[in-house]
Amino acid sequence: MSFGDAWGGNAIGWFFGNLIDAFYNFFYALFNPGSWLSWLPSINGPMEAEQKEALMRFIYYGASVEFFFVVFAIFLIVTIIGFINNRFMWGCVRGLEGFANIVGRTAAWAGLLMVLQQIVIIFMQRVFAVSEISIGFGVTVTHDVSWWSEQLKFYNAMIVTLCASYTFVQGGHVRVDLVYSAISYRAKRVIDMIGSMVLMVPAAILTWLYGWFFLWRHLVVPNPSASSSLDRLLTQSRALRWNVETIGFSPNGFNAYFLFKVLLVIFTAMILLQAVAFFYRSYLEWKEGPESEGKNLDKDKIGDETAELAANIH
């Protein structure tokens, strides 16, 4: 029996019991990867019984109370260390914001790719009146024109999901300011800390809980349910098989819509990481004062003074 079950008679006991269990669960998962990752060599292929059970464990624990408390315990440890050693916390801020910038700056090129592909599609349709387009160097990929047209939605989804944290770091999101500009510097930092923990984190967690099972219901059958217990999922694993979604909106349209679900999960994880980074930065700027505002912030340089001024005002 776990501490969470033993102390679960009240909310406080349940919370601290699961928090203690988190350390055991973390190290058990770390030293027994086969119990939940042995399915990886058989992605979209036949699986043995042990691999099916491992996959069901992975699906269950990916959006479970146990996983939440493992992540929460790691956050607590890192935060406590950061409170003691602010240089460590600044390092976490640089690392998390740097990760968001790298992913965002890379994914932003999908915008150029989307424009170029749209030009090719229009040119090939209107000038050559072709029904298929082949693209490739060495290995050629051939699809109907409608497939390439619908694929543009995926590029757009990449920009929205993978660039959201990057845009947040760059200060590019629109904000409705009714009180924020009129209060003191330290009060702003307090609002930022509260907002990151009270608004960003719960929204990210709820989206993850929805998106995680939404993803796996389009990858395997029988469809896993968020309300199913681990024992029930392990029982269902006997009939488990891959069933990757390959149905498009049109007969010859883009047929990898499961990738949109993958992007949703990645987006949620990045927003959660950015919420932590924003909380750390807000705390450090609150503690160190106005001179630390924007410290170690890697912002893009537009190269135009007027545009830079407009961006700063925004």
Side-chain angles (χ1 to χ4, degrees):
M1 178 180 291
S2 66
F3 282 103
D5 296 330
W7 294 1
N10 57 76
I12 296 177
W14 175 86
F15 177 84
F16 284 102
N18 279 288
L19 188 59
I20 295 173
D21 282 337
F23 295 94
Y24 168 79
N25 292 332
F26 173 78
F27 286 106
Y28 182 85
L30 184 65
F31 291 108
N32 297 274
S35 65
W36 56 289
L37 289 179
S38 63
W39 56 274
L40 285 175
S42 301
I43 292 180
N44 205 23
M47 293 183 289
E48 302 293 334
E50 294 79 5
Q51 293 176 311
K52 293 180 179 180
E53 291 184 356
L55 179 55
M56 274 303 192
R57 290 192 190 95
F58 182 81
I59 296 172
Y60 172 81
Y61 284 114
S64 64
V65 173
E66 292 85 351
F67 181 61
F68 169 81
F69 276 97
V70 167
V71 175
F72 182 65
I74 295 173
F75 168 74
L76 284 181
I77 293 173
V78 173
T79 303
I80 292 172
I81 296 174
F83 284 157
I84 298 172
N85 185 347
N86 290 165
R87 291 182 60 185
F88 173 78
M89 185 173 282
W90 273 120
C92 293
V93 172
R94 290 196 301 270
L96 292 173
E97 291 182 347
F99 173 70
N101 280 335
I102 291 173
V103 174
R105 287 165 179 163
T106 303
W109 286 100
L112 176 61
L113 184 60
M114 180 168 55
V115 172
L116 294 176
Q117 185 166 311
Q118 182 65 79
I119 293 173
V120 171
I121 291 171
I122 295 174
F123 186 81
M124 297 298 287
Q125 275 189 317
R126 301 302 179 186
V127 177
F128 295 102
V130 299
S131 60
E132 293 183 342
I133 298 177
S134 298
I135 298 178
F137 299 94
V139 178
T140 303
V141 178
T142 302
H143 288 291
D144 190 87
V145 173
S146 62
W147 190 95
W148 296 106
S149 297
E150 289 187 16
Q151 191 195 29
L152 298 176
K153 301 176 185 176
F154 180 66
Y155 295 146
N156 186 67
M158 286 179 60
I159 296 170
V160 172
T161 55
L162 301 182
C163 294
S165 296
Y166 160 68
T167 306
F168 189 92
V169 173
Q170 300 297 321
H173 286 298
V174 176
R175 65 189 305 165
V176 179
D177 185 2
L178 300 177
V179 179
Y180 193 82
S181 61
I183 60 179
S184 67
Y185 171 84
R186 290 187 181 276
K188 290 179 181 179
R189 302 289 86 79
V190 172
I191 289 178
D192 289 340
M193 284 188 283
I194 295 174
S196 61
M197 291 293 104
V198 176
L199 299 177
M200 291 181 68
V201 170
I205 292 174
L206 288 176
T207 307
W208 177 275
L209 293 176
Y210 171 79
W212 181 256
F213 285 99
F214 184 57
L215 164 64
W216 285 103
R217 283 198 295 270
H218 292 84
L219 293 179
V220 298
V221 290
N223 293 333
S225 173
S227 60
S228 297
S229 65
L230 177 60
D231 291 337
R232 178 174 176 80
L233 290 177
L234 290 177
T235 301
Q236 291 179 337
S237 69
R238 300 169 185 171
L240 186 69
R241 62 181 177 84
W242 292 103
N243 187 37
V244 179
E245 178 187 36
T246 58
I247 299 175
F249 286 121
S250 60
N252 297 316
F254 185 67
N255 58 352
Y257 277 93
F258 73 93
L259 293 176
F260 289 88
K261 286 80 174 179
V262 175
L263 286 178
L264 176 62
V265 172
I266 296 174
F267 160 78
T268 306
M270 293 189 65
I271 290 297
L272 186 59
L273 291 175
Q274 186 52 43
V276 173
F278 191 53
F279 173 78
Y280 289 166
R281 171 172 288 280
S282 301
Y283 166 76
L284 291 168
E285 291 181 353
W286 170 83
K287 182 179 179 180
E288 297 179 3
E291 63 276 4
S292 68
E293 184 175 7
K295 181 179 177 181
N296 299 318
L297 183 59
D298 180 17
K299 295 194 69 172
D300 294 337
K301 301 298 182 182
I302 299 176
D304 184 282
E305 293 184 2
T306 303
E308 292 279 359
L309 179 60
N312 291 332
I313 294 175
H314 174 72

